[in-house]
């Protein structure tokens, strides 16, 4: 069976072809179906690589690792309801994006690549830069000229060459894609191997809940790397016979930039504004149609939360000892909204990933202090 198929036209491809999208312009989905052996997990070290069979790699010896994975679950009482947070901000670079970067950069090295390009000004940039460094690969990052210097400092510290592009996110993406004609495009948006990594989020939740799924997962959604990883990951577990069914997926966006929420409601998306939840401020997600399917097929919902609710949730999280970035707090604001709307209920197993560390946005969060 071929590794990949186009989500738009169905044409198939292989990872080894080195293509990052289909000739028709559509994004690829993985067609690999290689279960990790459930019975072997007990003897394996905690971390991402306990699931290596599910990755597009020949074996664990191909791993580029910084010790990622098996982030803790933490019970939290929120609006009077017991929920469970998964502390994704404890990853090596401070965000869940390390899951995708670990697998993607391992694949790049396995394919004999020596240089990668990526466009991101946030957590994906830091993650790709860190894993490129660990893999011994050169990394060129194309970023919007107005990107936050805080986040770029982390990527530059790992040795990435940062190239500022005037004209916003779209222009940075175009510049990266031009470079990708001759260089491996380590895109967290386009490359399906990145999603092979984000799927591990669900494998861990399933193990940590004693071989069960949550009833509901409430997660922030911008490009949908975690939303789609969760949809596909729980789909894997069901297909492999490890689970009867996956959770409802509730995707949370910021009111000021909510194209998925607009599409879900069947409305036109208004022009985006600036939000503190910059990690999910994506005006035109490439995989929008897949994201809608993920929500729809799991019986979930899409919510958009106002700026004040994000700031308030961020303050409450910090007051409980959880120093996360505002994007992560958007999920908690979404949890409050979902509880009010009856989209999830007390007594259900509710899991909320806290996706990124507040340390990454220290000057931005300083402005949120009362
Ligand atoms: Zn296609």
């Amino acid at each position: 069976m071929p590794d990949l198929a186009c989500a738009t036209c169905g044409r198939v491809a292989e990872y080894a072809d080195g293509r990052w999208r289909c000739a028709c312009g559509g994004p690829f989905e993985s067609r690999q179906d290689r279960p990790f052996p459930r019975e072997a997990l007990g003897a394996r070290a905690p971390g991402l690589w306990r699931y290596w069979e599910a990755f597009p790699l020949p074996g664990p010896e191909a791993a580029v690792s910084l010790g990622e994975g098996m982030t803790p679950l933490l019970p939290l009482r929120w609006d009077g309801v017991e929920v469970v947070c998964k502390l994704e901000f404890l990853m090596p670079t401070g965000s869940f994006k390390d899951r995708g970067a670990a697998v993607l950069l391992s694949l790049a090295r396995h394919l004999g690549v020596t240089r990668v390009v990526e466009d991101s000004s946030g957590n994906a940039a830091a993650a790709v830069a860190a894993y490129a460094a660990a893999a011994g690969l050169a990394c060129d990052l194309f970023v919007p000229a107005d990107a936050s210097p805080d986040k770029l400092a982390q990527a530059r510290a790992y040795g990435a060459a940062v190239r500022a592009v005037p004209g916003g996110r779209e222009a940075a993406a175009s510049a990266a894609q031009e470079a990708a004609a001759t260089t491996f495009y380590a895109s967290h948006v386009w490359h399906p191997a990145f999603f092979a990594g984000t799927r591990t989020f669900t494998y861990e939740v399933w193990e940590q809940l004693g071989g069960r799924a949550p009833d509901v997962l409430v997660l922030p959604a911008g490009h949908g790397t975690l939303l789609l990883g969760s949809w596909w990951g729980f789909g894997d577990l069901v297909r492999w016979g490890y689970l009867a069914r996956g959770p409802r997926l509730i995707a949370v966006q910021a009111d000021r930039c909510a194209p998925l929420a607009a599409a879900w409601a069947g409305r036109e998306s208004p022009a985006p504004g600036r939000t503190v939840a910059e990690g999910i401020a994506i005006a035109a997600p490439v995989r929008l149609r897949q994201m809608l399917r993920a929500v729809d097929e799991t019986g979930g919902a899409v919510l958009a939360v106002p700026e004040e609710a994000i700031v308030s949730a961020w303050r409450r999280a910090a007051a409980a000892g959880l120093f996360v970035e505002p994007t992560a707090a958007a999920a908690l604001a979404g949890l409050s909204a979902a509880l009010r709307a009856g989209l999830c209920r007390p007594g259900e197993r509710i899991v909320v990933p806290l996706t990124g560390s507040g340390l990454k946005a220290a000057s931005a969060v300083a402005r949120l202090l009362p």
Side-chain angles (χ1 to χ4, degrees), residues 6 8-11 22 24 26:
C6 172
T8 304
C9 75
R11 202 173 321 189
C22 177
C24 82

Side-chain angles (χ1 to χ4, degrees), residues 57-347:
L57 292 165
E61 67 283 358
V64 175
S65 178
L66 290 167
E68 61 289 327
M70 213 46 102
T71 54
L73 293 187
L74 180 77
L76 179 73
R77 201 164 171 84
W78 191 263
D79 293 348
V81 176
E82 289 298 330
V83 303
V84 176
C85 292
K86 188 156 168 67
L87 308 187
E88 293 289 280
F89 63 88
L90 297 179
M91 285 283 193
T93 77
S95 92
F96 80 95
K97 292 272 190 340
D98 291 355
R99 297 185 183 279
V103 175
L104 177 54
L105 275 297
S106 297
L107 175 69
R109 189 179 69 175
H110 169 67
L111 294 175
V113 163
T114 56
R115 173 174 291 271
V116 301
V117 296
E118 157 75 313
D119 52 286
S120 160
S121 51
N123 292 334
V128 168
Y131 284 85
L137 310 182
C139 177
D140 293 320
L141 285 175
F142 292 86
V143 306
D146 62 348
S148 137
D150 271 5
K151 294 214 166 175
L152 294 179
Q154 190 183 7
R156 288 174 55 210
Y158 296 128
V162 174
R163 300 170 194 285
V165 182
R169 247 174 214 264
E170 300 298 309
S174 301
Q177 289 166 14
E178 211 167 289
T182 53
T183 311
F184 185 93
Y185 190 19
S187 171
H188 65 291
V189 178
W190 287 95
H191 207 294
F194 195 92
F195 294 85
T198 57
R199 287 174 191 224
T200 60
F201 170 82
T202 69
Y203 307 158
E204 289 181 11
V205 169
W206 163 77
E207 278 202 84
Q208 290 171 310
L209 293 179
R212 293 178 303 180
D215 296 304
V216 187
L217 195 58
V218 182
L219 72 184
H223 272 304
T225 48
L226 191 56
L227 173 65
L228 292 172
S230 297
W231 181 41
W232 288 326
F234 280 114
D236 291 340
L237 295 170
V238 169
R239 212 171 47 253
W240 299 337
Y242 297 174
L243 253 191
R245 65 189 197 123
R248 311 194 295 279
L249 300 180
I250 298 184
V252 183
Q253 299 208 291
D255 256 350
R256 290 187 181 169
C257 186
L260 183 69
W264 178 253
R267 286 186 277 106
E268 285 283 304
S269 185
R274 246 185 134 72
T275 167
V276 289
E278 57 178 22
I280 48 172
I282 307 297
V286 164
R287 296 178 180 269
L288 183 82
R289 280 167 53 192
Q290 292 170 306
M291 291 160 73
L292 288 170
R293 275 187 57 203
V295 173
D296 184 47
E297 288 188 10
T298 61
V302 184
L303 295 171
V305 289
E307 211 62 11
E308 313 78 70
I310 299 171
V311 173
S312 155
W314 178 83
R315 288 182 183 151
R316 283 173 65 194
L322 295 165
F323 190 56
V324 298
E325 62 177 349
T327 304
L332 290 168
L335 170 63
S336 293
L339 287 166
R340 279 196 308 273
L343 294 168
C344 55
R345 292 171 295 278

